[in-house]
Amino acid sequence: MNDGRQTWPGPRRIVVRAPEDPVEAVTEADACDAPLDVDTALVRGPLFGVAAQELDGEDSRWRVVSALKEGCPQQARDALMDLLWLRAYEDSATREERRALLPWIARLERERLDELTVLGTRFRVVRADEYAAVGPDGIETPRPTDPEPVVQDGEESLSEGRLDEDVVLDPDAPLTPSQATERLLMTGLVQTAATFPDDFREDARRAVATHPDVLILPVTFRLVQRNGFTWQLGGSLHAAPYWARKSLVFSLSWFEPREKGYIAWDFGNRQDDARSCVAAATPEVAAVLEAYADAADRVQAECLNEVEVLGTLHRVARARRLVRWGPDGPEGPRPSDVDVQEPCQIRPRLDEDGVIHHEWEDEDEDENEGAGADEGVEADGSQADRV
């Protein structure tokens, strides 16, 4: 008898393959060694993004169109609204396409929509759980085989690419042994800690039944810091350790000295950092700024993944994300997922011809119409008096 919980016709088959080239073989060996230093997994909580599925093409696999990095579902909905707006604004868009897109944009400005289908494409707000491996030394740092962009000495730094770019969500793709092992280990992930609210934990247990499989997304990197025994998150997700280290350099040299009050928040002097402000500071403040500047310089020169400054350990952490998967594809937001903002308009109004209309233009039109109506009343009144 079906109790309504099991919706999957049995476990999904996982096809295991051998590494395809020497580079992947070394990466696989590194991945097989890494669990030897792992005690547990630290689960942070949900992240959200947008995936799309082409209904009319030959390839019906879901693909990520907005990175799974947002902290609440509404931020992902805003990203979807922005994606549709930009598509409607393209010169190549026709009036018919805009007529199809604009009503959805208007609805996303007012409603919490987690899925829609327009112009043959199905869009869905997708939920992921972020976690990290933890060993005796704390949260895992980047592995030697994690990919890094190639930057030559003396050359200008590259621009960071979009997170999750060109990622296809394919639960049937063959996996290496380490990838298959990680998927199997994380399939039963359920947040049961008392620190999570009751409805959150109940939704997590229910998701194991409604979306019994998982997909592991590409590895990401973020900054964490520890002061004492507690780890705290800092910054956003990055696709490579290189970009996380650059973020750490900026944080140590520019952001933290301002956040802690050692440099004034004077946005007219954006170039000022810990190094340039030492000379004008008091001896006590100068010592602090020198510590921050020295740490930032060491991270940059030595490609360090962690550094300690004034009793706080700053580390580049290796973060993982999984998406739960069910008969209808990737899991969307759960009822217990919290939104920290309301739907709102984030782009100016666009008409069917692709012309942008700003709010102040609409206000000017309303004032002109109002003035014309007043003049008409006066004219009618004057005419009536004359009659």
Side-chain angles (χ1 to χ4, degrees), residues 202-361:
E202 179 59 32
D203 281 349
R205 286 190 288 266
R206 186 182 302 109
V208 175
T210 60
H211 295 77
D213 287 305
V214 300
L215 243 171
I216 308 298
L217 295 175
V219 64
T220 57
F221 306 87
R222 68 155 70 242
L223 301 184
V224 297
Q225 57 183 244
R226 184 180 66 192
N227 192 340
F229 298 99
T230 303
W231 289 98
Q232 294 181 331
L233 296 179
S236 58
L237 294 176
H238 300 276
Y242 173 84
W243 301 112
R245 287 193 294 269
K246 283 184 68 70
S247 177
L248 179 55
V249 170
F250 172 79
S251 178
L252 293 172
S253 62
W254 196 96
F255 181 77
E256 279 213 18
R258 284 171 167 78
E259 183 186 39
K260 296 184 181 298
Y262 298 113
I263 300 178
W265 288 97
D266 182 1
F267 289 101
N269 295 318
R270 290 178 177 270
Q271 301 304 316
D272 285 345
D273 60 12
R275 181 66 69 190
S276 65
C277 292
V278 168
T282 64
E284 294 80 5
V285 173
V288 172
L289 294 179
E290 286 178 349
Y292 276 117
D294 178 66
D297 292 343
R298 288 175 55 207
V299 170
Q300 185 165 4
E302 303 173 35
C303 295
L304 300 179
N305 288 321
E306 71 174 29
V307 66
E308 186 170 350
V309 187
L310 303 173
T312 299
L313 179 66
H314 300 262
R315 174 176 291 183
V316 175
R318 193 177 197 271
R320 307 293 279 132
R321 297 164 298 160
L322 66 84
V323 173
R324 299 210 71 91
W325 200 272
D328 194 37
E331 182 187 18
R334 299 172 186 172
S336 58
D337 290 327
V338 178
D339 278 308
V340 297
Q341 61 193 58
E342 296 295 324
C344 65
Q345 181 179 350
I346 61 175
R347 290 280 190 173
R349 186 168 60 85
L350 193 68
D351 67 21
E352 294 179 356
D353 295 316
V355 178
I356 293 176
H357 297 271
H358 296 283
E359 291 182 3
W360 62 82
E361 295 174 347

Side-chain angles (χ1 to χ4, degrees), residues 74-330:
Q74 187 55 46
Q75 291 173 313
R77 297 182 196 109
D78 290 345
L80 173 57
M81 175 168 46
D82 195 53
L83 186 151
L84 298 180
W85 191 95
L86 290 172
R87 181 173 175 182
Y89 185 59
E90 290 178 355
D91 292 337
S92 59
T94 64
R95 288 189 59 148
E96 289 72 20
E97 289 173 333
R98 293 193 186 98
R99 285 173 180 169
L101 292 166
L102 293 177
W104 287 113
I105 295 171
R107 287 190 61 184
L108 285 165
E109 292 175 347
R110 306 185 306 269
E111 305 175 35
R112 299 189 188 278
L113 298 179
D114 292 325
E115 183 166 329
L116 60 89
T117 300
V118 59
L119 298 175
T121 302
R122 185 184 186 188
F123 295 93
R124 177 179 295 175
V125 174
V126 175
R127 184 188 197 278
D129 281 304
E130 182 183 4
Y131 63 97
V134 180
D137 191 38
I139 299 177
E140 184 183 17
T141 57
R143 299 173 185 171
T145 51
D146 286 328
E148 299 269 22
V150 178
V151 181
Q152 302 295 333
D153 291 340
E155 289 187 357
E156 189 70 21
S157 296
L158 304 171
S159 297
E160 184 169 5
R162 183 173 64 84
L163 190 70
D164 292 339
E165 190 168 10
D166 300 325
V167 169
V168 175
L169 303 178
D170 186 359
D172 296 314
L175 304 175
T176 66
S178 69
Q179 293 169 344
T181 300
E182 183 173 10
R183 178 189 284 189
L184 288 172
L185 287 173
M186 301 309 296
T187 296
L189 175 68
V190 179
Q191 292 93 334
T192 58
T195 52
F196 292 106
D198 292 342
D199 59 342
F200 187 95
R201 287 181 286 168
E202 179 59 32
D203 281 349
R205 286 190 288 266
R206 186 182 302 109
V208 175
T210 60
H211 295 77
D213 287 305
V214 300
L215 243 171
I216 308 298
L217 295 175
V219 64
T220 57
F221 306 87
R222 68 155 70 242
L223 301 184
V224 297
Q225 57 183 244
R226 184 180 66 192
N227 192 340
F229 298 99
T230 303
W231 289 98
Q232 294 181 331
L233 296 179
S236 58
L237 294 176
H238 300 276
Y242 173 84
W243 301 112
R245 287 193 294 269
K246 283 184 68 70
S247 177
L248 179 55
V249 170
F250 172 79
S251 178
L252 293 172
S253 62
W254 196 96
F255 181 77
E256 279 213 18
R258 284 171 167 78
E259 183 186 39
K260 296 184 181 298
Y262 298 113
I263 300 178
W265 288 97
D266 182 1
F267 289 101
N269 295 318
R270 290 178 177 270
Q271 301 304 316
D272 285 345
D273 60 12
R275 181 66 69 190
S276 65
C277 292
V278 168
T282 64
E284 294 80 5
V285 173
V288 172
L289 294 179
E290 286 178 349
Y292 276 117
D294 178 66
D297 292 343
R298 288 175 55 207
V299 170
Q300 185 165 4
E302 303 173 35
C303 295
L304 300 179
N305 288 321
E306 71 174 29
V307 66
E308 186 170 350
V309 187
L310 303 173
T312 299
L313 179 66
H314 300 262
R315 174 176 291 183
V316 175
R318 193 177 197 271
R320 307 293 279 132
R321 297 164 298 160
L322 66 84
V323 173
R324 299 210 71 91
W325 200 272
D328 194 37

